[in-house]
Amino acid sequence: MTVVLAIGTRKGLWLATRADAGADWEVAGPHHPMTEVYAVGIDTRRPAPRLLAGVTSEHFGPSVATSDDLGATWDEPDHAPIAFPPDTAESLVRAWQLVPGPPSEPDVVYAGTEPSALFRSDDGGRTYELVRGLWDHPHREHWTPGGGGKAIHTVLPDPVEPGRVTVAMSTGGVYRTEDGGATWRASNTGIKAVHVPDPYPEYGHCVHKVAMHPSAPERLFAQVHHGVYRSDDGGASWQSIADGLPSDFGFPMVVHPHRPEVIYTFPLTADVMRFPPEGRCRVYRSEDAGKSWEAVGAGLPDGYWAGVMRDAMCADDADPAGIYFGSRTGDVYASRDDGDSWQLVVSHLPDVLSVRAATV
């Protein structure tokens, strides 16, 4: 069993591999040098795993590259795989999310983009079409840029019901479809918005990340702009689970691959002080769906002032699970034991934007 860790940065993509639990990491890169890689996906539904990378070149613009041989070669089409139709009067800034669809739809891949839109591919991530139902939603004109842009950064296809998809965006909130994208409803009840006059609006929330376990798709976990929440009814309502954390501000949210009640996040001091509280680099883990939290930091440094972004934390599907995160100073850490202890995989990379891991 080989673990593949894809690391997207502001200056390219690095791939780290480990042949077994006792082996050292082998790190190769950069692939797609001098491009921003905000989105990385690993599609393990096909015989040969497919890597997907949302690359953005200052010269050539945004694209999606794919590899079916773990990065030995890449296919980057000469046309734009993700493009807004002319009548939208919009152009793609970048892909923020590349997510394989459910097992029952092995060729479906979703892309969340900036500006805020959802695209669907039916050919394994090579070409994409705009999901019109969300684009035409009456709330869209009220969605505004967050600190990092106006983008859909979370796409969660339901593993059992192909027509059910949850998305989240900054700044707009959580939206859900039950009919394959034809219609969408805002799903933000109970989430407090700290940056608008009405603290509980229907939409307009700065959601940072939403996570779901495939075996419990009705339970969602969210890290928002000063707030950590759980929903037990598919996003219809939310309750705070921030008690026990040193701060309710942060970006990532990750669910354990085998234990749906176990979640991970990386708190930062505040929106205007984006570094770990007291400079202590710590992952926080809950083993009871957010009722309580513990810091898991064996092997992680103190005197550490770098943040971890929304897609720069992930889990693989091994048992025990590997948990990973990359920082804005280019350090990537890995845990081989569900987060109990940590080791440095690689340091001094460019600013880490996205990490994805899988066993192949």
Side-chain angles (χ1 to χ4, degrees):
M1 179 187 72
T2 298
V3 177
V4 176
L5 179 65
I7 307 163
T9 79
R10 288 200 186 276
K11 295 183 180 181
L13 173 71
W14 275 257
L15 296 175
T17 57
R18 191 186 70 213
D20 57 64
D24 293 331
W25 289 95
E26 296 183 8
V27 182
H31 302 261
H32 316 291
M34 298 308 296
T35 66
E36 294 181 331
V37 185
Y38 273 71
V40 182
I42 304 178
D43 189 351
T44 58
R45 298 171 301 172
R46 55 189 64 247
R50 175 167 291 173
L51 305 180
L52 303 108
V55 297
T56 305
S57 164
E58 291 187 359
H59 182 71
F60 296 106
S63 186
V64 176
T66 60
S67 174
D68 292 335
D69 51 17
L70 298 181
T73 61
W74 291 88
D75 180 17
E76 187 173 352
D78 55 9
H79 63 279
I82 302 175
F84 282 87
D87 67 288
T88 64
E90 289 283 3
S91 59
L92 180 69
V93 176
R94 61 176 56 90
W96 279 72
Q97 191 82 159
L98 293 167
V99 177
S104 62
E105 297 180 324
D107 291 321
V108 171
V109 175
Y110 289 98
T113 69
E114 179 185 351
S116 295
L118 180 67
F119 286 78
R120 174 184 165 118
S121 170
D122 291 310
D123 58 8
R126 299 187 185 278
T127 62
Y128 296 79
E129 291 188 3
L130 177 67
V131 177
R132 281 282 185 172
L134 186 59
W135 181 255
D136 293 333
H137 197 284
H139 292 173
R140 183 175 65 83
E141 63 179 302
H142 303 289
W143 300 340
T144 58
K150 184 170 70 171
I152 288 180
H153 50 65
T154 296
V155 183
L156 298 172
D158 189 286
V160 178
E161 299 290 341
R164 182 180 297 165
V165 182
T166 301
V167 302
M169 67 188 77
S170 296
T171 296
V174 180
Y175 285 77
R176 208 168 199 206
T177 181
E178 304 281 347
D179 55 14
T183 61
W184 295 79
R185 71 174 189 275
S187 300
N188 302 296
T189 300
I191 297 178
K192 186 176 182 179
V194 300
H195 53 284
V196 295
D198 178 3
Y200 292 99
E202 181 184 3
Y203 56 85
H205 302 74
C206 189
V207 178
H208 287 178
K209 197 65 183 175
V210 179
M212 174 190 74
H213 193 279
S215 70
E218 291 301 311
R219 176 182 285 172
L220 303 172
F221 300 95
Q223 171 72 64
V224 308
H225 195 107
H226 279 299
V228 185
Y229 293 88
R230 184 183 74 234
S231 173
D232 296 318
D233 51 16
S237 63
W238 297 85
Q239 63 184 33
S240 174
I241 55 171
D243 287 350
L245 291 170
S247 168
D248 63 0
F249 184 84
F251 287 96
M253 178 62 69
V254 172
V255 181
H256 191 282
H258 311 300
R259 300 159 60 194
E261 72 284 357
V262 178
I263 53 177
Y264 304 84
T265 190
F266 192 96
L268 302 179
T269 302
D271 54 356
V272 294
M273 299 179 70
R274 299 187 178 196
F275 41 71
E278 301 179 348
R280 301 174 72 240
C281 180
R282 297 292 184 271
V283 171
Y284 275 75
R285 178 179 64 194
S286 174
E287 297 187 333
D288 51 16
K291 296 177 182 177
S292 62
W293 295 89
E294 62 175 333
V296 286
L300 296 179
D302 291 334
Y304 198 82
W305 304 100
V308 174
M309 303 313 293
R310 57 173 52 87
D311 256 10
M313 188 174 185
C314 71
D316 63 26
D317 52 359
D319 191 8
I323 314 296
Y324 309 89
F325 71 86
S327 76
R328 301 204 70 173
T329 51
D331 300 325
V332 179
Y333 285 90
S335 170
R336 302 176 181 177
D337 51 16
D338 296 337
D340 288 338
S341 61
W342 299 83
Q343 302 82 35
L344 185 66
V345 175
V346 62
S347 60
H348 307 304
L349 294 183
D351 183 354
V352 177
L353 304 172
S354 55
V355 293
R356 285 294 181 270
T359 56
V360 298

